[in-house]
Amino acid sequence: MSEAQVSPLRTPLVTAERTLSQVTDDIVTPLIQRPTVRWWLAFLVSFAVLGIGFGMVAYQIATGIGTWGLNKTVGWAFDITNFVFWVGIGHAGTLISAILFLFRQKWRTSINRAAEAMTLFAVMCAAIFPLIHAGRPWLIYWMFPYPNSRGSLWVNFRSPLLWDVFAISTYFTVSAVFWYIGLMPDMATIRDRLAGLRKKIFGFLSFGWNGSSRIWSRYETLYLLLAGLATPLVLSVHTIVSMDFATSLVPGWHATIFPPYFVAGAVFSGFAMVLTLMIITRVVLKLEHFITIHHIENMNKIIIVTGGIVGLSYATEFFMAWYSGSPWERFAFINRAFGPYAWSYWIMFSCNVVSPMLFYFKKIRTSIVATFILSIVVNIGMWFERFVIIVTSLHRDFLPSSWAMYKPTVIEVGTFIGTFGLFFTLFLLFVRFLPVVSIGEVKAVNSFAKRKNAHHAEHEVKA
Amino acid sequence: MSKVRTVGWFEQEAQILNATKAARKAGLKVVDVYTPYAVHGLDEAMGLKPSKLTWVCLLAALGGGGGMFSLMLYTSAIAWPLNVGGKPFVSAPAFIPVTFEAAVLSAALMSVFAFFVRSKLFPGKKVVPLERVTDDRFALELLAEPEQARHFLQAQGAVVVQEVP
């Protein structure tokens, strides 16, 4: 990595010049120190919110999903919105760890570990919703094809909902493996730094890693293979999620644009969530010289692109609604923008199409405060996008006599809030017990920072 | 004189690359090189062959995808053909997404498994790694006559040279 020719004009990937052991120190120190008061506060709040979510889930499993605000017309609403929202969040992690790796975007090295962790936790949050929606979560294994005493009655492989089962479970497994493989060398570094129980635990988890170049060489091949597998996988996951809708005949859902539209939206919301988390993490763990303004600016540029694709998709949907000549389609879209749920449509539109445009200004995309606020705005917008697609398409369908409105119940809102508790609890535990920044990969790009400085020194001597 | 294992520790990435190349040129046997991160160019310097993991990956993908596709054919068309919305029993296009997912899952898991087996890594494996090689030093392990190896490593700029059992 460090052998590659790099233009001296490029901005260094890590701003401070550090020796290799300083890099280790910087990343390992937060794991050794006692947790700060801020960490405890954040953890207790997240854990309390998780508790609320747990209570809500327990109640609705015990009582049944009649506790939701669904009716005969709107059979999918809050839970599927949340499911798609969380799966989408996860996509940025894989994009950073796999796609940017294949494109040799070395700036990813300081953020990929945390982004991958975010993917795992987001997918866990997402998985809760279909699990509860199944009504009888203890029979969830019925979704997998296994020989059974009912015939054998097999699952219906033609259903996109079943494709989803395979897509999400594969995505979670492969992301977890990819994450773990990336962690192994770093866990060995920590093992050799610490003593006592932690040394034993990390020694067990690092699989006897000893830094051998023969293993490193094979490891690099494996990492490349996993990145190559994860790339089409991440695209397939949201494609399949979008097919849950696109293969139906509901106006507003039945559209061939859905797969790319959903994937772009997923990356868009995922990067916003990575930014929210990274901006907090870099300050709390004092990692400002690893996660620099340069990283934040690059992610903001990806938000501009994916936000642009999302905006274009909204426009295309409207164009096709008119151009197709289908009265049902036309009605669905007029109803979306001007019907009883117009407020949610315009929240979505302003958050997703207008707000990322602000990142065209360099001042804004290099401002931490502005980025933090906009990243939350984008996530609100993307949540509403899923709500708009799902609820506005269903609530006024073909038969006006069955038109209805949907309103979430306290249970549904509480469950959604509870998933944030789960997400942040897991993330806080992660920053506490595992290296947030990939030690090995940062060391490899570290020499680049040094060379740049050497280059400057050379110039000064000549002058 | 019998050959022994001698390790030299270096502080710079460039040094370890040069030393490894020079060792092979001088006809010394390079047992292994230990580094805190993947140093690029070291594969060539050590003369390592490209890994065959890619083949494991390809075969696992074909096996996983093919296996799943066959299972879908068997369950949907042979074991219990059910008429779902008038679709044909062998509805191959509808089987593609799951085939793809199974191929990816199998390829990823089998590649990782093959990596562990080939590298002899397993949970709880006990190792005593060389000093500081997972932190900030690069170590070159040679199998040669002790005097010759010591001279060579010191000439290459090793900060510490030690014989290991």
Side-chain angles (χ1 to χ4, degrees):
Chain A
M1 237 172 246
S2 45
E3 272 296 286
Q5 289 296 315
V6 193
S7 159
L9 299 174
R10 286 226 189 147
T11 343
L13 298 172
V14 282
T15 44
E17 189 183 330
R18 269 158 203 270
T19 65
L20 295 179
S21 69
Q22 277 173 328
V23 172
T24 316
D25 283 338
D26 282 349
I27 302 169
V28 178
T29 308
L31 308 178
I32 305 169
Q33 283 169 344
R34 295 181 74 82
T36 56
V37 178
R38 266 193 259 173
W39 184 89
W40 272 113
L41 275 178
F43 182 76
L44 289 175
V45 171
S46 311
F47 199 68
V49 175
L50 171 62
I52 296 174
F54 189 80
M56 296 292 175
V57 171
Y59 176 73
Q60 61 200 297
I61 288 176
T63 320
I65 54 171
T67 52
W68 294 357
L70 300 178
N71 49 51
K72 270 193 164 175
T73 310
V74 185
W76 272 10
F78 225 71
D79 62 325
I80 305 294
T81 302
N82 299 336
F83 164 72
V84 181
F85 171 78
W86 277 118
V87 175
I89 297 276
H91 279 36
T94 320
L95 190 101
I96 290 171
S97 61
I99 301 185
L100 295 185
F101 177 78
L102 294 183
F103 282 116
R104 301 272 188 270
Q105 294 293 308
K106 284 174 200 147
W107 58 271
R108 72 184 257 293
T109 50
S110 344
I111 50 169
N112 71 333
R113 172 71 42 75
E116 286 168 34
M118 184 199 77
T119 296
L120 289 178
F121 306 149
V123 176
M124 285 182 197
C125 291
I128 291 174
F129 292 99
L131 198 72
I132 310 170
H133 201 165
R136 297 178 200 174
W138 52 92
L139 296 178
I140 208 75
Y141 61 93
W142 283 13
M143 289 187 192
F144 290 95
Y146 65 97
N148 54 61
S149 54
R150 300 182 296 277
S152 296
L153 178 61
W154 299 97
V155 290
N156 176 17
F157 282 109
R158 299 175 197 95
S159 162
L161 297 179
L162 188 78
W163 304 346
D164 234 5
V165 172
F166 282 88
I168 301 293
S169 48
T170 301
Y171 184 47
F172 182 77
T173 315
V174 173
S175 301
V177 167
F178 197 27
W179 185 63
Y180 195 85
I181 292 293
L183 263 171
M184 256 175 37
D186 286 0
M187 291 197 288
T189 303
I190 300 173
R191 170 197 69 197
D192 297 344
R193 265 292 161 117
L194 302 182
L197 180 67
R198 287 216 190 172
K199 189 185 184 74
K200 277 197 186 125
I201 295 172
F202 281 109
F204 184 84
L205 295 175
S206 59
F207 282 44
W209 184 272
N210 61 359
S212 153
S213 279
R214 292 178 193 280
I215 298 181
W216 268 121
S217 162
R218 219 172 280 133
Y219 175 88
E220 290 278 283
T221 308
L222 176 70
Y223 205 80
L224 186 66
L225 283 174
L226 289 179
L229 289 169
T231 299
L233 176 64
V234 69
L235 301 180
S236 84
V237 171
H238 233 61
T239 297
I240 291 176
V241 168
S242 81
M243 284 172 179
D244 290 346
F245 305 102
T247 55
S248 73
L249 293 173
V250 178
W253 286 4
H254 186 61
T256 47
I257 195 181
F258 262 40
Y261 166 27
F262 268 52
V263 171
V267 173
F268 180 58
S269 68
F271 267 86
M273 187 59 106
V274 174
L275 279 168
T276 314
L277 284 177
M278 287 295 106
I279 289 172
I280 300 172
T281 310
R282 75 196 280 272
V283 175
V284 175
L285 299 183
K286 300 191 183 65
L287 296 170
E288 283 97 339
H289 49 269
F290 290 119
I291 303 163
T292 63
I293 290 287
H294 178 60
H295 291 102
I296 291 171
E297 194 188 349
N298 275 352
M299 289 195 266
N300 283 337
K301 284 179 184 167
I302 293 182
I303 287 194
I304 296 177
V305 174
T306 48
I309 299 176
V310 167
L312 182 66
S313 306
Y314 295 162
T316 311
E317 277 191 316
F318 266 82
F319 172 77
M320 286 314 294
W322 164 74
Y323 188 71
S324 68
S326 153
W328 316 105
E329 196 75 17
R330 204 169 57 201
F331 173 79
F333 281 90
I334 290 172
N335 182 48
R336 231 176 231 189
F338 305 106
Y341 285 112
W343 55 274
S344 63
Y345 181 82
W346 294 107
I347 291 178
M348 167 195 99
F349 193 86
S350 47
C351 291
N352 290 351
V353 182
V354 182
S355 77
M357 293 295 158
L358 292 172
F359 283 138
Y360 275 110
F361 299 101
K362 194 170 172 100
K363 266 236 167 69
I364 294 181
R365 68 171 185 262
T366 53
S367 150
I368 306 278
V369 178
T371 304
F372 187 71
I373 295 169
L374 281 174
S375 71
I376 292 171
V377 167
V378 164
N379 262 318
I380 295 172
M382 281 310 291
W383 186 87
F384 272 100
E385 181 196 293
R386 279 66 176 251
F387 183 81
V388 165
I389 291 174
I390 294 168
V391 176
T392 66
S393 305
L394 284 177
H395 88 118
R396 288 187 170 175
D397 58 359
F398 301 99
L399 208 57
S401 62
S402 59
W403 286 3
M405 292 294 283
Y406 163 79
K407 218 170 74 194
T409 61
V410 178
I411 303 291
E412 287 176 283
V413 178
T415 312
F416 180 50
I417 293 171
T419 51
F420 278 95
L422 175 65
F423 183 74
F424 285 107
T425 303
L426 290 170
F427 196 79
L428 285 163
L429 288 174
F430 159 69
V431 300
R432 184 74 203 104
F433 292 107
L434 292 169
V436 194
V437 172
S438 170
I439 306 174
E441 289 194 41
V442 166
K443 279 178 185 166
V445 296
N446 189 48
S447 54
F448 163 42
K450 261 186 273 172
R451 249 215 313 275
K452 183 183 159 66
N453 291 340
H455 184 88
H456 278 290
E458 216 172 276
H459 273 270
E460 276 156 27
V461 170
K462 273 180 198 159
Chain B
M1 273 210 314
S2 63
K3 289 190 172 179
V4 291
R5 287 168 189 255
T6 312
V7 178
W9 277 266
F10 296 84
E11 285 190 326
Q12 303 286 331
E13 185 187 311
Q15 287 177 324
I16 192 79
L17 276 169
N18 292 335
T20 313
K21 278 180 212 153
R24 292 219 310 143
K25 222 174 196 174
L28 298 167
K29 185 166 165 42
V30 176
V31 179
D32 209 339
V33 181
Y34 300 89
T35 58
Y37 55 86
V39 174
H40 280 235
L42 207 51
D43 299 6
E44 292 81 16
M46 289 171 74
L48 296 182
K49 286 195 197 103
S51 164
K52 290 191 190 68
L53 274 181
T54 43
W55 289 103
V56 175
C57 186
L58 176 69
L59 291 178
L62 292 175
M68 187 50 97
F69 194 82
S70 318
L71 177 75
M72 286 188 279
L73 285 182
Y74 169 73
T75 59
S76 312
I78 300 166
W80 190 339
L82 275 177
N83 187 331
V84 181
K87 288 173 190 135
F89 296 133
V90 181
S91 28
F95 297 160
I96 295 303
V98 175
T99 304
F100 172 77
E101 300 299 331
V104 168
L105 183 65
S106 151
L109 293 181
M110 291 307 286
S111 306
V112 169
F113 185 71
F115 166 74
F116 285 148
V117 171
R118 184 69 186 77
S119 309
K120 298 191 186 72
L121 297 174
F122 51 87
K125 182 182 177 185
K126 292 262 184 295
V127 282
V128 185
L130 296 171
E131 278 298 291
R132 290 168 74 169
V133 292
T134 57
D135 184 7
D136 63 343
R137 281 196 180 163
F138 307 83
L140 173 60
E141 186 176 337
L142 297 174
L143 183 66
E145 289 171 5
E147 274 311 297
Q148 190 193 4
R150 180 172 288 273
H151 278 142
F152 172 81
L153 289 168
Q154 272 162 354
Q156 290 292 332
V159 279
V160 181
V161 179
Q162 226 171 51
E163 283 171 26
V164 290

